[in-house]
Amino acid sequence: MENTSEQIQALQILYEIAVSIGTSLDLPKMLKVSLTTFLKKLNCSAVGIYTLNKEREGKFNFEKIYAIPRQVDRNEAYQAAVQNIPVALDEQTLAEFNKKLPLNGYSDDSSFFHIFELPDFGLMVLTKSDDYLPPLIIKSLAPLLLKLGGACRACTTQESVQHSEEYFRSLLENISDVITLLNSDGTIRYQSPSVERVLGYHPTELVGRNVFEFIHTDDSLEVVNAFNDVTRSLGSGRVIEFRFLHKNGTWRVLETVSKNLSDVPTIAGLVVNSRDITKRKQAEQAHLESEERFRQVITSISHHIYMTEFTKEGKHINRYLSPNVEALTGYPYENFVTNWNFWPSVVIHPSDRAMASVQAERFTKGKNSQVEYRLVRSNGDIVWVQDSGRVERNLDRQSIIVYGVVSDVTERKQAEVELERYHNQLEQLVVERTQRQKMVAVLGEQLTAILDPDQLLNELVNQVKKYFDYYHVQVYLLDDEYQNLILRASSGEVGVMLMAQGQQLSLYGSDNIVAKAARAAQIVRVDNIAQSETQPHRLLPDTYSEMAVPIIVNEEVFGILDIHKDKTGSLDEGDANLIRSLVNQVAVALTNAQLFEHIQNRALELAKAKDAAESASRAKSEFLANMSHELRTPLNGILGYAQILKRDNFTEAQKEGLHVIQQSGEHLLTLINDILDFSRVEGGRLELYPVDFQLVNFLQNIVTMHQLQAKQKGLTFVYEPLIALPSTIYADEKRLRQVLMKLLSNALKFTETGQVVLRITDHHHNEAPLPASSPQRWVVYFEIEDTGIGISDEQLARIFQPFELGRESDRQAGGRGLGLAIARQIIELMGSKLQVESKPGQGSIFWFRLELPASEWQAHNEMVANQVADATSKQTVTAEIVLPPAEEIAVLLDLAMMGNLLAIEERLDYLEKLSQPYAPLVQQLRQLTEDFEEEKILALLNDLWKQVNKPG
């Protein structure tokens, strides 16, 4: 027993649906309201209304007139329901279908549908996504469906009634077709107003006239026959096309259908319906012409064009194939139209089908593709093609359309094969030529190493014959008068005989190719001796081709390299270029040989001149040495007696005279020494005699000597030993003193105010420090800096030249211009270079760098028994104090004597870093320097000096 509440709910739903039916006589509005109610109340997903139409020949068909939602075609359940609605029904199948209604079912997406009959109107389709309609609802829908069908009929009938009169009223007024009523003889009884728009005539202009007056004569026979056919029988006639004269004189094409209504009393004639199809005929004609042009284009090109569809079911359908497929493959066109597989399975070369399969796979994935493969024509010929396909997706049919072009690339492939073959040949030729060029390079290198001309030419002919497999090679050289070519070298045993005969050719009187090449200064080649004017030598009977290559030296013909081959035509342009390259090297080798001969001769001359110069130099040096000795002996006597006489009591005038004698003698002695040293430098006989000597004492003595000179001129002399120095070095003490004294003397001479600095350091002031010195070798920079008059750039350029007085004051002071030249030579002998920087008015810096081998250190630490006493009490140093080496105490003592407290502090820093045991002494001395106790410092250092110099 059904539930009462469900019945009540069903009745309420049915009531609301019933109320929504027939609310309007406007069919779309009425259906919108009713179907919306159906959707909401029955919880449906889609609903549609179909009307039953009667077609021709007694057939029926259902036509959808309204549906909610509008995109109902996307509803799978709805589409599944529509599949159950038959088409083209006759009365029997229609009755059988109606008996099955209502029809229930479901779709693949698990949705449900119902098909109900709308009595005397059509069908209604409902779909639900959850379940079928309840049986109670289905049973109760019958009266509602009857009502809905009636409402639909009412709306349809009402619309027909309302529009029939208006329709037929405006039909004739606004119809685009021309309606004409004709009598049986063709006279026009009625003409619709549309004739004026179509043909330009007012209807009154045509009524009463015969229609055949306006028909083109070429079409009149067909029109008359059609007219007679219609007049002889009732009903409609056939459709005909003909040309009708427009009022403006042009012809319009009309499509006409006639109907004989003679049996209708109100008409009693022929009704003719005409339509202007002029534009359509023009379009058709244009289309035909376009198709013809397209066909001609497709036929004229050699490419095969195709359009293939790849369906979603996996089928391949040829939608279009150009006729060129026959010319390309040799197979009939029909073989490809219906069978897509004929191309890949028969036409494509078996070895290339896998490649074509890959292309087809790319097409199915929607990717463009271009491949090259081979086709096998029907006659067995192989054709190379390029298959290029562009892909487009057909969204409506969910398929892929491929537009492709197949081009015959056989000629290109053949050209590529030929090009590759030619490329390989060219590579082989290049390899051969490269090898021969390498041979030429090797041979040229060998020849250029030979400096004897005869040996060079003999090696040339024999090696060229050997390397390049020539039959015979020989060289002719021009004589000194440039009149004859003389055979100077010839290969092989034949060459020995030819040389023995003394072969020669007249340069201007011979037609031999050797003479021709010499006259023209160009390569002359004969490919076939037998066909030329030149006859081969009787000793060279197998000569068939010959080439003469000029040897050009200094832009003039020096000779000819004559080459013979025993193969006709085997000497080509490649041989000419190759031998030309070799001959250029031979010319260089000959030039080198000539130059070598000239150099040898010149070397002999120079050797003789050198011996003479050295002999003269030795004589000069011996003379200078003897002269200096002879001059030095009496001069020393003069200087000695001058010093002795100065001790006696003389008047001031006499003392002044003695002073002038001594000063002039010293100057003369210095000049003699400089000249003697310079003669040794110039003769290359200046030598170094290194010895072990104490560097600190050596420098201190030089400093002490020049401090007095500086003091006499009112200058400050600064000694800056900025690095720790070895106690003893191995060097030429005399020459190093000579250089330093010359540089310091010059600095003092050319400085009027300011100071002169002797700086000992480990790097030049404009350079970075070098790596630290080792105990075996010390790197020391000697710098002499002054604040004197300076030197100009022009003077700096020649400051080290002998007898060059770089500064005006040199001349005023009686300078000789030899000191700096000698100093520079000495420094260069010591393995260094004397350098200078200077600015006029600001001063100069001379410096040089020496690597000085050190002797064994003389440093030692002596333990003394006493502590350092107070400097004023002069007590001795205790045993707790470790003394530095004597050389270091001597340096500190010298600095104390000069009063240079700053230098003492720097030296104390060095001692403190050198050895920790020196710290107590360093601390004591540093305290005294900070208190400026110069006298106490001097007293302490004097005491220490005595301690380290005790006997035993």
Side-chain angles (χ1 to χ4, degrees):
M1 184 175 183
E2 296 180 348
N3 191 298
T4 304
S5 62
E6 291 180 356
Q7 293 179 349
I8 294 173
Q9 185 179 4
L11 289 174
Q12 184 178 358
I13 292 173
L14 295 173
Y15 173 75
E16 292 182 8
I17 293 175
V19 171
S20 68
I21 297 174
T23 58
S24 173
L25 289 177
D26 187 333
L27 183 61
K29 291 182 180 179
M30 187 274 293
L31 288 177
K32 180 178 181 182
V33 174
S34 300
L35 297 187
T36 302
T37 306
F38 269 94
L39 284 177
K40 292 180 179 180
K41 298 304 178 182
L42 299 181
N43 194 24
C44 299
S45 58
V47 59
I49 301 297
Y50 289 77
T51 183
L52 182 64
N53 295 326
K54 186 176 182 181
E55 303 292 341
R56 292 181 179 181
E57 300 177 358
K59 297 293 183 180
F60 297 91
N61 204 354
F62 289 102
E63 178 186 359
K64 182 179 71 175
I65 62 172
Y66 200 84
I68 298 177
R70 294 293 180 89
Q71 296 83 11
V72 72
D73 292 337
R74 300 180 182 178
N75 188 306
E76 292 191 13
Y78 192 91
Q79 292 301 316
V82 170
Q83 297 296 325
N84 291 277
I85 300 176
V87 296
L89 301 167
D90 54 21
E91 291 184 0
Q92 181 179 353
T93 54
L94 177 60
E96 292 175 355
F97 174 69
N98 286 335
K99 288 179 182 181
K100 297 178 182 179
L101 300 178
L103 186 64
N104 307 322
Y106 64 92
S107 64
D108 293 339
D109 66 344
S110 300
S111 297
F112 305 88
F113 64 83
H114 299 275
I115 301 177
F116 298 100
E117 180 185 8
L118 292 180
D120 298 328
F121 187 78
L123 302 174
M124 182 173 71
V125 178
L126 286 171
T127 64
K128 286 176 65 64
S129 60
D130 51 357
D131 198 356
Y132 292 112
L133 290 172
L136 178 60
I137 295 295
I138 293 175
K139 291 179 181 179
S140 304
L141 280 178
L144 296 180
L145 296 173
L146 181 63
K147 180 180 181 183
L148 181 59
C152 289
R153 288 196 310 277
C155 290
T156 304
T157 303
Q158 178 67 21
E159 287 179 357
S160 301
V161 171
Q162 289 178 350
H163 294 292
S164 59
E165 290 183 4
E166 182 180 350
Y167 173 76
F168 285 108
R169 185 182 309 114
S170 63
L171 179 61
L172 294 178
E173 298 293 336
N174 299 308
I175 191 172
S176 60
D177 293 349
V178 177
I179 306 299
T180 306
L181 180 60
L182 300 176
N183 290 331
S184 59
D185 61 354
T187 302
I188 300 174
R189 289 170 50 198
Y190 171 79
Q191 188 67 63
S192 65
S194 58
V195 72
E196 186 172 7
R197 184 180 66 256
V198 176
L199 296 173
Y201 301 101
H202 191 271
T204 57
E205 294 181 87
L206 297 177
V207 174
R209 299 182 65 176
N210 194 287
V211 71
F212 294 105
E213 298 177 16
F214 301 92
I215 296 174
H216 197 284
T217 54
D218 294 342
D219 301 334
S220 59
L221 180 60
E222 182 181 0
V223 174
V224 170
N225 290 336
F227 182 82
N228 292 334
D229 292 342
V230 173
T231 56
R232 283 195 293 268
S233 60
L234 298 176
S236 300
R238 57 190 175 90
V239 178
I240 61 172
E241 296 177 0
F242 58 89
R243 285 165 287 183
F244 196 96
L245 183 63
H246 192 277
K247 187 175 181 179
N248 62 11
T250 61
W251 294 98
R252 297 296 177 91
V253 181
L254 300 181
E255 181 184 65
T256 300
V257 60
S258 302
K259 193 167 185 178
N260 189 350
L261 297 178
S262 299
D263 58 337
V264 179
T266 57
I267 296 178
L270 276 67
V271 178
V272 179
N273 184 13
S274 302
R275 179 175 299 168
D276 186 359
I277 62 170
T278 304
K279 291 184 179 180
R280 190 186 80 187
K281 296 299 288 186
Q282 291 173 347
E284 289 177 354
Q285 182 62 30
H287 180 68
L288 289 174
E289 293 175 355
S290 176
E291 284 188 342
E292 178 61 21
R293 286 195 299 271
F294 176 74
R295 186 188 64 80
Q296 291 176 354
V297 170
I298 294 299
T299 305
S300 64
I301 63 177
S302 60
H303 305 311
H304 163 49
I305 299 173
Y306 65 88
M307 182 177 72
T308 301
E309 181 178 8
F310 290 66
T311 67
K312 64 180 180 179
E313 293 82 10
K315 296 181 179 180
H316 300 164
I317 304 171
N318 286 328
R319 295 299 183 189
Y320 173 79
L321 295 172
S322 66
N324 293 331
V325 69
E326 287 190 2
L328 183 63
T329 66
Y331 289 100
Y333 181 83
E334 293 75 16
N335 289 18
F336 302 93
V337 175
T338 58
N339 185 5
W340 179 87
N341 285 313
F342 186 78
W343 180 275
S345 62
V346 177
V347 181
I348 296 179
H349 194 282
S351 299
D352 297 343
R353 288 172 187 169
M355 186 187 306
S357 177
V358 172
Q359 184 188 37
E361 183 67 22
R362 288 181 59 85
F363 288 154
T364 58
K365 294 179 180 179
K367 298 179 180 179
N368 300 335
S369 178
Q370 176 177 299
V371 296
E372 292 183 357
Y373 50 79
R374 290 165 293 176
L375 302 181
V376 181
R377 289 173 50 84
S378 60
N379 60 2
D381 292 344
I382 303 298
V383 179
W384 273 97
V385 296
Q386 182 184 79
D387 189 344
S388 303
R390 180 176 59 83
V391 173
E392 289 186 3
R393 294 186 179 274
N394 189 319
L395 298 179
D396 294 337
R397 293 206 293 264
Q398 297 182 358
S399 62
I400 291 175
I401 306 297
V402 179
Y403 300 92
V405 177
V406 179
S407 306
D408 186 347
V409 294
T410 305
E411 292 184 0
R412 194 198 76 197
K413 280 291 186 179
Q414 292 173 345
E416 289 176 355
V417 172
E418 183 65 21
L419 182 61
E420 184 177 3
R421 185 183 64 80
Y422 176 75
H423 179 72
N424 292 336
Q425 291 178 347
L426 186 60
E427 281 188 343
Q428 181 63 29
L429 183 60
V430 169
V431 169
E432 293 176 357
R433 290 293 170 85
T434 303
Q435 291 176 345
R436 299 184 76 184
Q437 287 288 357
K438 289 180 179 178
M439 292 180 185
V440 167
V442 171
L443 182 56
E445 186 176 351
Q446 294 174 353
L447 294 175
T448 52
I450 301 174
L451 298 177
D452 180 75
D454 293 331
Q455 181 185 355
L456 170 64
L457 296 177
N458 287 321
E459 190 72 13
L460 170 65
V461 296
N462 289 312
Q463 293 299 326
V464 169
K465 181 179 184 299
K466 172 184 174 183
Y467 272 96
F468 304 112
D469 194 27
Y470 291 142
Y471 172 51
H472 185 71
V473 181
Q474 51 193 14
V475 173
Y476 288 86
L477 297 184
L478 277 168
D479 60 10
D480 295 338
E481 290 76 20
Y482 285 86
Q483 296 296 323
N484 296 302
L485 289 158
I486 301 171
L487 184 65
R488 289 290 302 272
S490 188
S491 64
E493 296 179 359
V494 175
V496 175
M497 291 186 286
L498 291 172
M499 290 290 293
Q501 295 177 1
Q503 288 289 318
Q504 72 175 30
L505 300 171
S506 172
L507 176 62
Y508 299 101
S510 174
D511 290 332
N512 188 283
I513 70 167
V514 173
K516 291 181 179 179
R519 290 196 296 268
Q522 293 180 351
I523 294 177
V524 177
R525 191 174 73 241
V526 176
D527 294 332
N528 193 332
I529 292 291
Q531 298 177 359
S532 69
E533 299 176 356
T534 301
Q535 296 300 317
H537 194 278
R538 60 183 179 80
L539 295 177
L540 301 170
D542 293 331
T543 298
Y544 286 96
S545 57
E546 186 177 0
M547 179 171 64
V549 182
I551 302 173
I552 307 296
V553 176
N554 296 329
E555 299 183 356
E556 292 185 355
V557 176
F558 186 81
I560 300 294
L561 179 62
D562 185 25
I563 295 173
H564 296 246
K565 259 287 194 179
D566 57 0
K567 294 180 181 178
T568 303
S570 57
L571 287 170
D572 56 13
E573 190 65 27
D575 290 279
N577 294 331
L578 198 68
I579 300 302
R580 181 188 292 112
S581 175
L582 177 61
V583 163
N584 291 337
Q585 298 183 61
V586 170
V588 173
L590 288 171
T591 303
N592 291 342
Q594 291 177 336
L595 181 61
F596 179 72
E597 185 178 3
H598 174 72
I599 290 173
Q600 282 186 317
N601 295 334
R602 182 59 178 164
L604 291 175
E605 294 175 0
L606 291 176
K608 294 178 180 179
K610 179 176 178 293
D611 292 341
E614 288 178 349
S615 177
S617 178
R618 284 193 297 271
K620 181 184 71 173
S621 297
E622 292 174 359
F623 171 76
L624 288 174
N626 293 332
M627 285 298 296
S628 64
H629 176 72
E630 295 297 332
L631 291 172
R632 196 180 285 133
T633 300
L635 188 58
N636 285 331
I638 294 171
L639 291 174
Y641 277 103
Q643 291 176 354
I644 293 172
L645 290 173
K646 286 176 69 175
R647 298 173 187 171
D648 296 334
N649 295 323
F650 288 98
T651 65
E652 290 300 324
Q654 292 171 333
K655 289 182 178 180
E656 181 65 26
L658 289 173
H659 177 70
V660 170
I661 292 171
Q662 184 177 7
Q663 194 174 39
S664 300
E666 289 175 351
H667 177 73
L668 182 59
L669 182 61
T670 303
L671 175 60
I672 293 171
N673 289 332
D674 285 348
I675 292 174
L676 181 59
D677 285 340
F678 179 72
S679 67
R680 290 172 179 168
V681 170
E682 191 180 42
R685 292 182 292 106
L686 183 64
E687 296 179 358
L688 299 179
Y689 298 97
V691 296
D692 289 337
F693 67 94
Q694 292 184 342
L695 181 61
V696 175
N697 293 339
F698 168 81
L699 292 173
Q700 186 59 50
N701 291 334
I702 293 176
V703 169
T704 302
M705 186 183 307
H706 291 85
Q707 279 179 331
L708 181 60
Q709 298 179 23
K711 188 174 181 180
Q712 290 174 351
K713 289 192 68 172
L715 301 174
T716 300
F717 188 99
V718 180
Y719 173 45
E720 295 182 354
L722 301 182
I723 60 172
L725 297 174
S727 60
T728 306
I729 63 170
Y730 184 71
D732 190 325
E733 180 182 8
K734 175 184 176 182
R735 294 303 179 186
L736 182 58
R737 180 184 292 108
Q738 181 180 352
V739 171
L740 291 175
M741 291 186 66
K742 179 59 184 176
L743 295 177
L744 288 169
S745 297
N746 282 352
L748 291 169
K749 181 195 303 184
F750 300 116
T751 302
E752 298 300 330
T753 59
Q755 64 180 10
V756 173
V757 179
L758 171 60
R759 187 179 296 112
I760 312 298
T761 181
D762 59 353
H763 67 283
H764 182 48
H765 68 283
N766 287 335
E767 299 175 354
L770 294 171
S773 300
S774 67
Q776 292 76 29
R777 181 170 293 274
W778 285 77
V779 177
V780 181
Y781 276 82
F782 296 85
E783 290 186 0
I784 294 86
E785 182 177 3
D786 65 61
T787 57
I789 61 175
I791 309 170
S792 67
D793 291 342
E794 181 182 357
Q795 294 168 339
L796 280 176
R798 58 179 189 273
I799 192 69
F800 296 114
Q801 295 178 8
F803 306 107
E804 196 54 58
L805 300 179
R807 290 172 276 203
E808 182 60 32
S809 54
D810 267 345
R811 298 180 177 85
Q812 297 172 358
R816 300 166 298 279
L818 291 175
L820 288 178
I822 295 171
R824 185 176 192 179
Q825 290 292 334
I826 293 173
I827 295 302
E828 288 179 356
L829 283 175
M830 292 181 174
S832 185
K833 184 177 181 181
L834 180 59
Q835 301 183 74
V836 61
E837 292 178 358
S838 183
K839 290 185 178 180
Q842 297 183 18
S844 307
I845 300 178
F846 286 81
W847 80 93
F848 57 91
R849 168 182 175 272
L850 293 182
E851 292 187 11
L852 302 174
S855 296
E856 294 185 0
W857 281 82
Q858 302 300 320
H860 63 277
N861 294 326
E862 296 183 2
M863 303 296 295
V864 294
N866 300 319
Q867 295 181 347
V868 178
D870 183 83
T872 56
S873 62
K874 298 184 180 180
Q875 294 180 357
T876 59
V877 180
T878 66
E880 297 179 0
I881 299 300
V882 179
L883 296 181
E887 291 81 5
E888 292 296 333
I889 295 176
V891 172
L892 291 170
L893 183 59
D894 292 338
L895 294 174
M897 294 175 66
M898 291 185 291
N900 194 341
L901 297 183
L902 179 60
I904 291 175
E905 287 184 351
E906 293 175 349
R907 202 66 182 178
L908 291 175
D909 291 340
Y910 163 72
L911 287 175
E912 190 172 34
K913 295 177 182 178
L914 186 64
S915 178
Q916 184 63 31
Y918 301 156
L921 176 63
V922 170
Q923 185 177 2
Q924 179 73 21
L925 288 171
R926 182 174 285 120
Q927 184 63 46
L928 293 173
T929 56
E930 290 176 357
D931 296 336
F932 299 96
E933 298 287 352
E934 296 182 18
E935 294 181 359
K936 293 181 180 181
I937 293 171
L938 186 59
L940 176 58
L941 291 174
N942 275 323
D943 186 61
L944 294 177
W945 177 253
K946 293 176 182 179
Q947 291 288 334
V948 297
N949 285 283
K950 278 184 179 182

